[in-house]
């Protein structure tokens, strides 16, 4: 969980494939509005200000082993480096009865916001990943690793880093 600001955005590059939008889940808690979610040029952008509850997910079929956020108020670039196995099963974490319980997402981002009764868990936002699902035999174990790295500093240095790692220009992300 991370502290949101009015100027925080999640950035998730993904592999360009035909009909790639169908591999993005954007209705975990109801459809996310267009002013909060943008999918453009094989990159997903999510506004994370802690004011509107929503969650997105990226299928392993298009996921790249990277996701990020940028807090333009504090100049903080957060990079998530997950393990992604394209042909593996992932638990579907939508809160509903599952037709396909093992066709879930490997990368998720969540923006907290008020619940229907007006209460709120945070505010906070998250960038997270899931391991592949595997039925384990007695005594068997499985390891999963991800790295989360926070960079804070000079905006132009972070902009160059984001360009090199994410292939996005933070100036364009900020304008959205």
């Amino acid at each position: 969980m991370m502290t949101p600001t009015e100027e925080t955005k999640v950035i998730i590059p993904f592999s360009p494939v035909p009909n790639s939008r169908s591999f993005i889940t954007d209705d975990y808690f109801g459809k996310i509005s267009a002013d909060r979610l943008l999918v453009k040029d094989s990159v997903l952008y999510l506004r994370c200000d802690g004011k509107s509850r929503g969650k997105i997910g990226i299928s392993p079929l298009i996921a790249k082993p990277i996701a990020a956020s940028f807090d333009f108020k504090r100049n903080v670039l957060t990079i998530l480096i997950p393990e992604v196995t394209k042909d593996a099963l992932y638990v579907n974490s939508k809160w509903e009865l599952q037709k396909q319980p093992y066709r879930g997402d490997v990368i998720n981002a969540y923006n907290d916001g008020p619940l229907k009764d007006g209460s709120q868990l945070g505010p906070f936002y998250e960038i997270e990943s899931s391991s592949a699902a595997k039925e384990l035999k007695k005594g068997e174990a499985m390891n999963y690793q991800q790295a989360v790295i926070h960079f804070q500093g000079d905006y132009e240095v972070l902009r160059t880093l984001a360009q090199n790692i994410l292939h996005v220009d933070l100036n364009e992300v900020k304008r959205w």
Side-chain angles (χ1 to χ4, degrees):
M1 293 182 190
M2 293 174 277
T3 304
T5 71
E6 292 282 336
E7 302 172 52
T8 301
K9 298 194 178 130
V10 163
I11 306 160
I12 305 176
F14 58 87
S15 298
V17 299
N19 200 22
S20 59
R21 192 67 174 86
S22 67
F23 298 102
I24 298 170
T25 304
D26 65 358
D27 61 349
Y28 277 89
F29 302 110
K31 197 79 167 160
I32 298 173
S33 64
D35 66 325
R36 301 195 143 280
L37 176 65
L38 174 65
V39 178
K40 178 182 172 189
D41 300 329
S42 300
V43 182
L44 178 146
Y45 303 95
L46 179 67
R47 187 176 314 276
C48 287
D49 56 8
K51 293 185 177 182
S52 179
R53 187 173 191 227
K55 180 177 177 178
I56 59 90
I58 306 291
S59 163
L61 298 174
I62 64 167
K64 291 183 175 183
I66 193 153
S69 69
F70 196 85
D71 177 343
F72 289 93
K73 183 176 182 180
R74 297 183 190 109
N75 278 350
V76 177
L77 174 64
T78 298
I79 302 288
L80 170 84
I81 303 169
E83 293 179 17
V84 175
T85 306
K86 298 241 181 258
D87 59 349
L89 301 174
Y90 285 84
V91 173
N92 186 332
S93 57
K94 287 186 81 174
W95 292 3
E96 62 189 24
L97 292 176
Q98 300 293 322
K99 293 176 186 169
Q100 298 178 311
Y102 295 106
R103 293 198 68 195
D105 300 314
V106 62
I107 297 174
N108 294 96
Y110 173 78
N111 182 52
D112 189 40
L115 303 172
K116 289 180 182 179
D117 68 2
S119 66
Q120 188 167 352
L121 301 171
F124 62 91
Y125 79 99
E126 300 173 325
I127 313 168
E128 59 192 17
S129 68
S130 298
S131 71
K134 181 180 178 186
E135 187 174 333
L136 299 175
K137 297 175 184 160
K138 185 176 181 176
E140 189 177 13
M142 183 175 104
N143 292 319
Y144 177 76
Q145 295 182 356
Q146 72 173 17
V148 178
I149 307 160
H150 302 282
F151 299 94
Q152 185 171 23
D154 178 76
Y155 176 77
E156 288 303 323
V157 172
L158 296 173
R159 181 177 170 218
T160 299
L161 184 60
Q163 180 66 48
N164 290 334
I165 295 174
L166 302 167
H167 308 289
V168 298
D169 183 344
L170 290 179
N171 286 346
E172 291 179 22
V173 176
K174 187 174 187 174
R175 282 193 288 270
W176 170 69

